[in-house]
Amino acid sequence: MKTTQRYQTFSSRFLAGIVDSLVFIPVAIADAFIITEDSPDYLLFFWIPLSYASYSIYSVLMHAKYGQTLGKMCAKVKVLNAAETDVPGLKRAFLRDSIYIAMTAFSIGWVLRNILAGDFTFAFYTSEVNFYFSTFSVVWLLLEFVTMLTNSRRRALHDFIGGTVVVNKPYLREKIPDSQTSGSSAVKGPSHDPASPY
């Protein structure tokens, strides 16, 4: 299975993930100060959903409009629709992150239920919610990695769900290899118009 430089994005995606993690350090610091045993329930009820949802909101909106998060901008990779004709748009960006969004929503609901029932404790949050969320994230990342190895465009599982592909931006204006377009007349490649967003 031959993969062109256009789609060799694994290391760049990894770098992008690190940069995006750094972007959310302020949120993590705020978590450390806000999510404590002494915090009032109303504050936890407001902050925890906002904290949990912040990355999904960031990811969906940035990918929808620019095809890139700040991390991907630094790593010089871009998310396009599967036909490589445009950035994903809101629907595809949402679908691309839908599994992670669903897990986030489940975690938020689990936490809010405990807060409303008066059963929320810091131990519950750190030992149960974070444990299951972290375990899910690791399993999901492994599935993503395995999926990337099964196709020449290195599309991860969430790319198939969202109908997207990640490309190296420096190679974006190159003609899409024939091996990637065979059997699909929909794949045409981005415009070469100087005013194009690509």
Side-chain angles (χ1 to χ4, degrees), residues 140-151 155-157:
W140 181 246
L141 283 173
L142 288 174
L143 289 173
E144 296 267 70
F145 177 70
V146 170
T147 309
M148 286 178 68
L149 297 178
T150 65
N151 61 95
R155 297 174 72 194
L157 187 55

Side-chain angles (χ1 to χ4, degrees), residues 72-121:
K72 286 186 174 69
M73 290 177 185
C74 291
K76 297 183 179 179
V77 291
K78 190 165 189 173
V79 180
L80 302 175
N81 60 27
E84 299 185 38
T85 57
D86 203 354
V87 294
L90 192 58
K91 180 181 177 180
R92 283 193 176 89
F94 180 85
L95 288 173
R96 191 173 189 268
D97 284 354
S98 59
I99 301 300
Y100 187 81
I101 289 170
M103 184 60 188
T104 300
F106 174 80
S107 300
I108 290 172
W110 189 13
V111 169
L112 294 184
R113 175 189 173 279
N114 277 264
I115 293 174
L116 291 173
D119 296 333
F120 182 87
T121 63

Side-chain angles (χ1 to χ4, degrees), residues 56 95 122 190:
S56 292
L95 288 173
F122 186 68

Side-chain angles (χ1 to χ4, degrees), residues 1 3 7-10 13 147-156 159 165-166:
M1 186 190 311
T3 301
Y7 305 112
Q8 290 181 3
T9 58
F10 179 78
R13 288 189 189 193
T147 309
M148 286 178 68
L149 297 178
T150 65
N151 61 95
S152 61
R153 289 204 289 170
R154 294 295 181 254
R155 297 174 72 194
D159 288 310
V165 62
V166 182

